[in-house]
Amino acid sequence: MTATVVITRPLAQAEPLAARVRALGRTVEILPLLEISALPDQAPLRAALADLTPYALIAFVSPNAIDAAFAYIAKWPQGLRAAVVGEGSRVALLAHGVPAEAIASPADPAHSDTEHLLQVLDIGALRGARVLIVRGESGRELMADSFRTAGAEVTLLPAYRRGVPQLDAQLAERLARLLDGQNDWLITSSEALRGLAQLAEQLDGPATVAKLQQQHLIVPHARIAETAAALGCHRVTQTASGDEGLLAALQSRP
């Protein structure tokens, strides 16, 4: 029996990938391991986005950051540069009317991460300039640190909140069922993987954690593979970053 492909992205980003996995003839189950919610106080976000003209560059870490920000951006200023790490974010900016020529992203969509974004940006040109990074309440500091090292004045703007879902009866049933089998789990963030481990521990302690450690995880970045190893998960396939890498890994599965 072919393993089910478990997609663990937040719900809004899971379905496009699910459609492509189904097109491969695979059975899919969407199990969001991170919930995205609005910040309870929107005033700081609204105020920060009221005037974008002082900035030389605005970086968005995810489609969630873009959607949250554009609730308060009426029109993208002419000449303002945007930066994103993934193809999904680039498409989201285009949908909000940002010109393609204004968007910087990794040259190869198969390498959609901060490291490859920084390679295509003219970091030196940001010395003395103001840069805004729109992200969740927490996140990696690599982008901000790199801009600061280049001499930019960096502002971090929280735009949404991420959190592990509560283990209610419905989630407990789904998680127990999936961990009882041998499935292919698409894990696209270390935070989601740590959340999965927490949920497994809450479900039935070490016995369920041991089942998680026997699952096949498909991950698009070395950082996530390292998190998996730290959690005792050793059936890990690391792919190129981006959806194409995940799909290629699934196609190579027997």
Side-chain angles (χ1 to χ4, degrees):
M1 182 177 178
T2 304
T4 294
V5 178
V6 185
I7 297 178
T8 61
R9 281 180 175 164
L11 191 58
Q13 282 83 54
E15 187 52 49
L17 178 58
R20 299 185 69 183
V21 174
R22 292 188 189 103
L24 300 177
R26 298 293 300 272
T27 300
V28 175
E29 183 149 351
I30 296 175
L31 185 76
L33 293 178
L34 290 176
E35 293 180 338
I36 306 299
S37 59
L39 298 177
D41 182 5
Q42 293 284 299
L45 183 62
R46 183 186 301 110
L49 297 172
D51 182 11
L52 301 181
T53 56
Y55 297 105
L57 178 73
I58 300 184
F60 299 91
V61 303
S62 69
N64 293 309
I66 293 168
D67 291 342
F70 273 84
Y72 302 108
I73 299 174
K75 184 178 181 181
W76 189 256
Q78 186 174 2
L80 178 60
R81 295 281 290 166
V84 295
V85 298
E87 181 64 14
S89 293
R90 192 185 73 84
V91 170
L93 282 181
L94 292 171
H96 283 291
V98 180
E101 61 271 19
I103 305 171
S105 62
D108 182 356
H111 296 285
S112 52
D113 54 29
T114 298
E115 289 84 350
H116 286 85
L117 171 63
L118 293 170
Q119 290 176 11
V120 302
L121 290 173
D122 184 359
I123 299 292
L126 295 175
R127 178 170 296 278
R130 295 182 64 184
V131 174
L132 181 67
I133 300 177
V134 187
R135 67 179 199 175
E137 285 186 305
S138 61
R140 296 180 72 199
E141 299 300 326
L142 175 61
M143 186 184 296
D145 289 346
S146 298
F147 290 150
R148 291 190 184 105
T149 300
E153 178 186 339
V154 178
T155 299
L156 296 174
L157 180 62
Y160 60 95
R161 177 171 290 170
R162 292 188 302 264
V164 178
Q166 294 294 312
L167 188 67
D168 58 18
Q170 182 181 26
L171 179 56
E173 183 279 325
R174 294 182 68 200
L175 188 57
R177 172 172 48 80
L178 290 167
L179 291 176
D180 277 341
Q182 289 294 316
N183 297 305
D184 293 326
W185 296 67
L186 304 188
I187 307 286
T188 52
S189 84
S190 292
E191 187 178 1
L193 181 53
R194 288 190 292 267
L196 176 58
Q198 293 169 15
L199 292 169
E201 177 70 31
Q202 293 173 34
L203 185 61
D204 195 22
T208 306
V209 172
K211 293 179 181 179
L212 170 61
Q213 292 168 337
Q214 297 304 312
Q215 298 293 316
H216 177 228
L217 310 183
I218 301 176
V219 307
H221 203 282
R223 291 192 314 277
I224 310 174
E226 291 165 3
T227 300
L231 292 170
C233 302
H234 300 292
R235 296 184 61 217
V236 178
T237 298
Q238 183 183 330
T239 73
S241 56
D243 288 357
E244 297 301 331
L246 298 172
L247 294 166
L250 287 173
Q251 287 178 300
S252 68
R253 293 277 288 163

